[in-house]
Amino acid sequence: MSEDNGYRVILSEFKGSRLLAELPVSGLSYRSILNAPGSASFTVPLGAEPLAGLDWSLISPWRIIAHVQRGSRVLWGGPLLTWSVDLAAEEMTLECVGLWEYYRRNIINLGYSTGPVPREQTTIARELIQQFADNPSPVAPGQPGYWGSNGPGALVFDPDLDTMKRERTYPWYEWKSVGEAVEQLGAVIKGFDFRIDHDWDVDARVIRNRMRWLYPAGGQETGIVLEHGTNCTVTSVTSDGDRMCTETGVNGAGEGWSQLKSWWYNGQLETEEGRRIPRLSAVETNNSVVRVDTLTAQAERMTAVGAFPIVVPEVALHPGGEYSAAELRVGHKIRVRARTANWPGIDAEYVVQEIATKVSSSGEETTLSLVPVTIFERVDDWLQGQLEVAA
């Protein structure tokens, strides 16, 4: 990998955040995903001079966290999951997962409930993360004062938002994943998106991992326009009907006949001339929900999202062009324009769902996975009883 590409790979302790080393790498790739962990891979030439005095006992899964920096911006971070050595090539490969994977790997082991009074949804999410996954408990398990976590203390939080109040109950015996609980909490009507940003705390000489709540879901305005042939290449455009549905059901708390359930139906999509399709059903389960109206809202959202196929372009940024991975974040809203021959093309807004970058000796490649903004608009239209006019 060339010396002037501006990339650095920095290792820190997962618990405590103490800086350990900067790795020389001959190639790297990393993926950031909205509301999900992502991943990264690094190729380390073992003959590189900076490795001569390295304490190799540090290179151990879940003990260290790697951050990818480009220029002055830290673009990705996550713990080491596996390493392997190619003796013939004299190279080590490090495979890392995005930091959010750690929170998926912790459970709500002491139970949590908002009680009878609804609470702000981002407050619920923050408390679940801090209490059951991130904050280190001051005492050992089984001792008075133990609160269920011995986490790394890896996250900092912006102030809770003022969005929607929810009721949630997570019984201890369900051993619900913290990450799954937060993901489901955000994936409802008037829910939220989230990502983890990374930045230097220069005074403390550590990299901070900042939990960002994005509300409303549907993208942060950027004014960025990507145009095929100008500052990007749209390699393909796909219309995907995999999530289309006319009937939805959602299961909530309880079991058997006592389990809470709700259902929604879009008869218009099955009968309207010019767009009708046969019945398609979809079912989800969210055991933490204790109110039927919350389940109904989730079923409505599934029906609204499933009312149309999703038209998605595959976009590759031009190397050295107007925009790169350093200017974009998952959750950003951008406009994409492309056309060819007699096809009318696309000129629409999208939310960046995933950013994948690969850097090698031959250069840098960045591709974007996008979700149409119309998905979120359709949910709003549905709530207003206007889905039939959504484009």
Side-chain angles (χ1 to χ4, degrees), residues 114-129:
T114 56
V117 180
R119 304 188 66 199
E120 159 60 35
Q121 58 186 347
T122 58
T123 300
I124 298 172
R126 175 183 54 77
E127 290 181 349
L128 289 173
I129 294 169

Side-chain angles (χ1 to χ4, degrees), residues 209-232:
N209 308 296
R210 186 174 303 278
M211 192 73 187
R212 294 288 309 277
W213 311 118
L214 309 177
Y215 183 88
Q220 298 175 294
E221 294 286 354
T222 64
I224 292 176
V225 177
L226 298 181
E227 189 148 3
H228 174 59
T230 301
N231 53 12
C232 75

Side-chain angles (χ1 to χ4, degrees), residues 30-40 75-77 96-101 104 183 193-198 211-212 214 328-332 351-357 367-371:
Y30 61 95
R31 291 193 312 150
S32 301
I33 307 175
L34 188 65
N35 307 330
S39 62
L75 305 179
W76 189 91
C96 300
V97 289
L99 181 53
W100 185 245
E101 178 65 24
R104 285 182 170 180
E183 291 163 22
D193 289 328
F194 64 88
R195 69 171 183 254
I196 299 176
D197 288 342
H198 315 275
M211 192 73 187
R212 294 288 309 277
L214 309 177
L328 292 168
R329 291 285 186 272
V330 291
H332 278 176
V351 178
V352 179
Q353 188 75 15
E354 178 179 333
I355 303 173
T357 298
T367 58
L368 309 179
S369 295
L370 309 172
V371 174

